Amino acid sequence: VGADTVQRPGGDAAVVRVHGSKKALAITTDCTPRYCYADPVEGGKQAVAEAYRNLCAVGAKPLAITNCLNFGNPERPEIMGQFVGCIEGIAEACRVLDFPVVSGNVSLYNETKNDDGTSTAILPTPAIGGVGLLDEWEKSATIALKVEGSLLATISDGTLDDGFTRGHLGQSLWLRETKDETRGPPPAVDLEAESKAGRFVRSLIAEGKVTAVHDVSDGGLLVAAAEMALAGNLGIAINSELLQEAIDLLFGEDQGRYLVEVRAAEFEPLVYAASAAGLSARCVGQVGGDRLIEDRLSPQELKLDLSLADLRAAHEGFFPKLMGSELTPEF
């Protein structure tokens, strides 16, 4: 990693300084193929929207995208339908988010020949590469939790009934990993809401009002919170009321949401500022310790109790285990 690298890959976006200035470029790549397979138009929109969110989450103003459109055999009508649908979704997202395509390429005929002579295509994968600009690289945000006693809050669409989530589980990782199913439509993408939330989060970062930021995507809210905890090596006492709600609220993959770490004294002003921007801020939990737990006072009532050490072992040990290696990864 060079001396000009402010953030290496592993968070929402990499950040690299621009020589001779205080500016920096933020860079990310995104795509969720299972969304694109279930609904090519929404999947194409979501790939662009997530790139947009990841740049906003480090404090960068999104500037432009490139793409690599990876599909199967376009001579098959269903594959051509995926290709056209994804392009339509990408185009719509780029127009609404003012996030133009400046380059790209196409890779077709990505299929595997089966023993019976038929072919199986890859999932439609319109990979999006996004770049954004930070005026001051020192103000870039990271996903790592930093302050004992701070609060973790969601920033989301203020028009929702609970100001929090629709709890969309279709095509989610929870559904795939716990039920071995990939069914239902992907989460809908509200591009106007994405733009509004992105602008608000960038303003919070520029003004130093939040100490960590992460967008909510694969796995939903609880997974995003765990990623922030692991990155900062700080635990979270998750709000009991949240844990008592349905699984879909914890693991739903609704779009347009962010998690932010905010000092306790700054939470109430954050709620008012979010409301004024047409958004909602809701407390998820309190930062501290070395475990992901429920915030009940009595230990006997705990329903969630995971040590960061166990979470890290499961997270970082996955790939070596998959490859049959006994080596412990070093990061």
Side-chain angles (χ1 to χ4, degrees):
V1 178
D4 290 322
T5 301
V6 179
Q7 284 193 52
R8 61 190 295 172
D12 283 319
V15 179
V16 181
R17 293 178 60 183
V18 176
H19 288 296
S21 75
K22 293 184 178 181
K23 296 181 178 182
L25 294 176
I27 305 134
T28 187
T29 56
D30 293 285
C31 186
T32 309
R34 65 183 186 278
Y35 290 177
C36 296
Y37 182 78
D39 185 329
V41 175
E42 285 298 316
K45 287 164 58 177
Q46 190 274 340
V48 175
E50 187 170 351
Y52 182 89
R53 279 200 308 276
N54 284 341
L55 296 174
C56 291
V58 299
K61 179 181 179 181
L63 295 180
I65 69 167
T66 184
N67 60 55
C68 182
L69 307 179
N70 306 282
F71 292 84
N73 180 357
E75 298 172 48
R76 293 166 56 188
E78 67 273 20
I79 302 299
M80 180 55 78
Q82 295 171 358
F83 185 67
V84 171
C86 285
I87 291 174
E88 290 176 348
I90 290 169
E92 182 181 352
C94 288
R95 285 191 294 267
V96 175
L97 298 174
D98 192 21
F99 201 21
V101 181
V102 296
S103 67
N105 68 354
V106 179
S107 176
L108 302 173
Y109 298 95
N110 294 289
E111 303 198 344
T112 299
K113 184 75 74 175
N114 301 318
D115 292 338
D116 61 2
T118 61
S119 295
T120 301
I122 65 165
L123 292 179
T125 308
I128 301 297
V131 63
L133 181 67
L134 285 135
D135 289 330
E136 298 182 60
W137 66 266
E138 292 177 311
K139 292 185 176 181
S140 65
T142 72
I143 72 170
L145 298 176
K146 300 174 182 67
V147 183
E148 287 266 0
S150 62
L151 301 180
L152 191 63
T154 57
I155 302 295
S156 56
D157 185 355
T159 65
L160 300 177
D161 289 341
D162 63 357
F164 173 54
T165 180
R166 293 182 176 86
H168 188 97
L169 285 177
Q171 299 299 321
S172 65
L173 285 185
W174 181 86
L175 193 63
R176 189 184 75 182
E177 297 301 320
T178 65
K179 305 295 183 182
D180 195 26
E181 296 178 1
T182 53
R183 58 179 169 83
V189 181
D190 184 333
L191 295 168
E192 295 291 351
E194 292 277 4
S195 178
K196 181 166 54 178
R199 290 194 304 271
F200 181 69
V201 167
R202 294 200 305 271
S203 73
L204 293 177
I205 295 170
E207 295 167 13
K209 294 182 177 179
V210 289
T211 49
V213 181
H214 191 18
D215 85 306
V216 180
S217 54
D218 275 1
L221 174 71
L222 200 55
V223 169
E227 290 170 342
M228 297 179 79
L230 288 174
N233 203 31
L234 279 172
I236 308 169
I238 302 293
N239 190 320
S240 295
E241 293 181 359
L242 183 66
L243 288 175
Q244 290 169 4
E245 297 187 46
I247 286 291
D248 55 358
L249 301 187
L250 293 173
F251 297 101
E253 297 181 4
D254 299 44
Q255 301 297 293
R257 295 184 296 162
Y258 298 81
L259 280 175
V260 299
E261 180 189 31
V262 59
R263 290 178 173 83
E266 296 296 322
F267 176 67
E268 190 170 341
L270 174 67
V271 172
Y272 287 120
S275 179
L279 300 165
S280 173
R282 176 175 176 178
C283 181
V284 172
Q286 187 168 35
V287 175
D290 61 359
R291 309 182 75 82
L292 210 60
I293 63 172
E294 185 173 353
D295 69 352
R296 293 180 181 274
L297 296 178
S298 171
Q300 286 76 25
E301 294 180 344
L302 287 173
K303 295 181 180 178
L304 173 68
D305 188 0
L306 296 169
S307 74
L308 294 187
D310 288 343
L311 281 173
R312 193 177 306 281
H315 176 61
E316 296 179 357
F318 166 77
F319 191 67
K321 183 179 179 180
L322 179 68
M323 300 304 292
S325 170
E326 299 299 323
L327 296 176
T328 300
E330 296 181 2
F331 296 96

